[in-house]
Amino acid sequence: MKKLRIFYYPNGKTFSYGYFKNRALATYSYFTRSPTNYAFPTKLHIEITNVCNLGCIMCPRSYMSRKKGMMDMELFKKIIDESKGKVEFVYLHLFGEPLMHPHIIDMIKYCKNAGIFTGLATNATLLNNAKSKEIANSGLDFMVISFDGVNKEEYEKIRQGSSYEKTLKNIKGFLQIKGRKPHTVLQLIYMNFTKDKIKEYTNFWTSYNIEAVRIKPLQTWSGEIENINELSTKEYSMGEKPCDRPWRHLCILWDGTATPCEFDFDGAYPLGNIREKSIEEIWNSDRVIQLRKLHIAQKRNEVKLCKSCTYQAPNIFENVALTMLDVLTATKLISDMGK
């Protein structure tokens, strides 16, 4: 792992007037509690697929009622074309394994050609030698490798359907191939099964070619899935502040359905469909404005998706950082600090 070096993180978007203006407008809209957002989303979560090859104990996919599928390239290109010059960062992951998409490399390259920073998360089960070389040469900027566990028994109990030895071999092979890109973070989800293994986990990965180990808080998905609730170590509360997600990020499911939050695993709060409307039309639609109003009025309990959310809204200093720094830089810094 590398030490934090402030000069290592900034890039062209950090100092771009256009991107800074958009970030500032997003922060202004949030702080003034404006239901209308004067900025374009700074970040898109694009679910290129909700198909996955594992059954992880902390994942809500088995409770998902919506159809499984993969985003077609025509829809993907429409999203990116509308985002060019506006969105800073696209994260090609929500509720599936992105490496299962047959056009994942083409999607990364399309984002890069549009000048958009790109990241993804993977369980690394499909990260063989050939795929590692493709990823390393694709221009991908940021990558999270989710590997929960410090031994075979623990890992395979959490990441059900996976092989500890094979996945570990994949990760080590990728880290030897990748060089300086993508910026790679090994991620462990903090829960009952892992809370006592953090030091051991971190020490294990210290000598490898990664930028950081991230300990990610367990998401309990509105507290409605008892099996996942039992994995939690403590209760969280969003407090009094409105969530900033409806003012900064937009999520798009594989079928084009837009949702306000990456925690909406079942598409329970649809905002519209990108096949039928533009991102700009959806971003300040009546549906989104109503959601922002409920948060402003501290009535998020009226929104099933939000009432028991464990996400912590940023404090004033974090909001300043989210304004001054582009999304990729902020993402790298937050991950490299282990958060």
Side-chain angles (χ1 to χ4, degrees):
M1 292 185 291
K2 300 174 176 61
K3 294 182 178 179
L4 290 178
R5 297 170 294 166
I6 299 301
F7 65 85
Y8 165 78
Y9 295 94
N11 56 72
K13 289 186 175 63
T14 311
F15 307 107
S16 163
Y17 172 75
Y19 288 111
F20 170 77
K21 180 181 178 181
N22 192 61
R23 295 195 300 269
L25 286 173
T27 300
Y28 174 80
S29 300
Y30 175 64
F31 266 112
T32 58
R33 306 299 190 244
S34 171
T36 300
N37 196 331
Y38 301 107
F40 198 83
T42 59
K43 179 181 180 180
L44 292 182
H45 294 260
I46 303 179
E47 181 187 74
I48 60 175
T49 182
N50 63 344
V51 176
C52 189
N53 58 340
L54 300 185
C56 303
I57 61 174
M58 62 288 187
C59 179
R61 287 188 68 262
S62 62
Y63 301 89
M64 188 184 291
S65 63
R66 60 189 175 95
K67 293 181 179 180
K68 309 295 192 299
M70 298 196 180
M71 183 175 286
D72 60 77
M73 280 299 293
E74 182 180 357
L75 175 59
F76 183 81
K77 289 180 178 180
K78 178 181 186 294
I79 295 168
I80 300 306
D81 291 346
E82 290 183 15
S83 305
K84 186 176 181 179
K86 301 172 184 177
V87 168
E88 297 179 359
F89 187 78
V90 162
Y91 200 52
L92 302 178
H93 176 261
L94 272 173
F95 298 100
E97 170 50 54
L99 297 190
M100 294 189 75
H101 199 293
H103 301 300
I104 178 62
I105 302 301
D106 294 332
M107 289 173 162
I108 295 170
K109 291 181 177 180
Y110 199 82
C111 290
K112 298 304 297 179
N113 289 337
I116 301 174
F117 291 135
T118 313
L120 61 79
T122 178
N123 59 35
T125 57
L126 303 176
L127 197 61
N128 56 30
N129 188 65
K131 185 63 69 176
S132 292
K133 290 179 180 179
E134 287 184 319
I135 292 289
N137 295 323
S138 68
L140 185 71
D141 297 288
F142 185 82
M143 184 168 176
V144 173
I145 297 178
S146 298
F147 189 78
D148 297 277
V150 295
N151 57 54
K152 177 180 176 66
E153 181 182 6
E154 182 179 280
Y155 170 79
E156 292 182 0
K157 185 174 184 178
I158 295 171
R159 296 274 169 178
Q160 295 180 1
S162 181
S163 164
Y164 176 81
E165 294 86 356
K166 181 180 177 181
T167 308
L168 184 60
K169 180 181 177 181
N170 285 351
I171 296 172
K172 289 180 178 180
F174 173 74
L175 296 179
Q176 289 179 333
I177 290 171
K178 83 174 188 76
R180 295 183 62 185
K181 268 196 170 187
H183 189 100
T184 304
V185 177
L186 262 291
Q187 179 174 281
L188 176 76
I189 295 180
Y190 188 88
M191 53 185 165
N192 288 335
F193 285 104
T194 61
K195 64 180 181 179
D196 298 325
K197 304 294 180 63
I198 292 173
K199 185 175 181 180
E200 184 179 355
Y201 184 88
T202 302
N203 289 342
F204 179 85
W205 290 107
T206 297
S207 61
Y208 288 93
N209 180 27
I210 62 171
E211 277 59 48
V213 169
R214 181 192 181 199
I215 308 303
K216 182 182 179 181
L218 176 72
Q219 170 58 233
T220 56
W221 317 103
S222 298
E224 295 187 354
I225 304 174
E226 189 58 36
N227 290 344
I228 296 179
N229 289 342
E230 292 173 357
L231 302 174
S232 182
T233 59
K234 61 181 178 178
E235 296 292 328
Y236 294 90
S237 173
M238 282 186 64
E240 300 297 325
K241 293 179 291 186
C243 178
D244 67 323
R245 287 297 199 259
W247 280 268
R248 298 188 193 278
H249 301 173
L250 186 67
C251 301
I252 303 172
L253 305 182
W254 71 268
D255 63 354
T257 301
T259 71
C261 177
E262 63 267 37
F263 302 142
D264 187 4
F265 72 92
D266 212 22
Y269 202 94
L271 306 175
N273 196 291
I274 301 297
R275 294 185 188 277
E276 303 162 359
K277 296 181 179 180
S278 68
I279 293 174
E280 286 198 34
E281 288 174 320
I282 290 175
W283 188 230
N284 276 308
S285 64
D286 292 342
R287 179 84 161 153
V288 180
I289 287 176
Q290 177 62 19
L291 176 64
R292 292 176 188 143
K293 285 181 177 179
L294 288 171
H295 274 261
I296 292 167
Q298 298 184 16
K299 294 182 179 180
R300 60 177 173 269
N301 283 340
E302 296 181 15
V303 182
K304 184 178 180 181
L305 174 66
C306 306
K307 65 180 181 180
S308 300
C309 183
T310 59
Y311 170 71
Q312 302 291 297
N315 59 38
I316 188 169
F317 300 106
E318 290 168 334
N319 271 292
V320 170
L322 289 171
T323 304
M324 300 303 297
L325 302 174
D326 66 283
V327 178
L328 177 61
T329 296
T331 301
K332 286 180 176 180
L333 276 169
I334 291 169
S335 294
D336 290 5
M337 290 188 291
K339 300 182 179 180

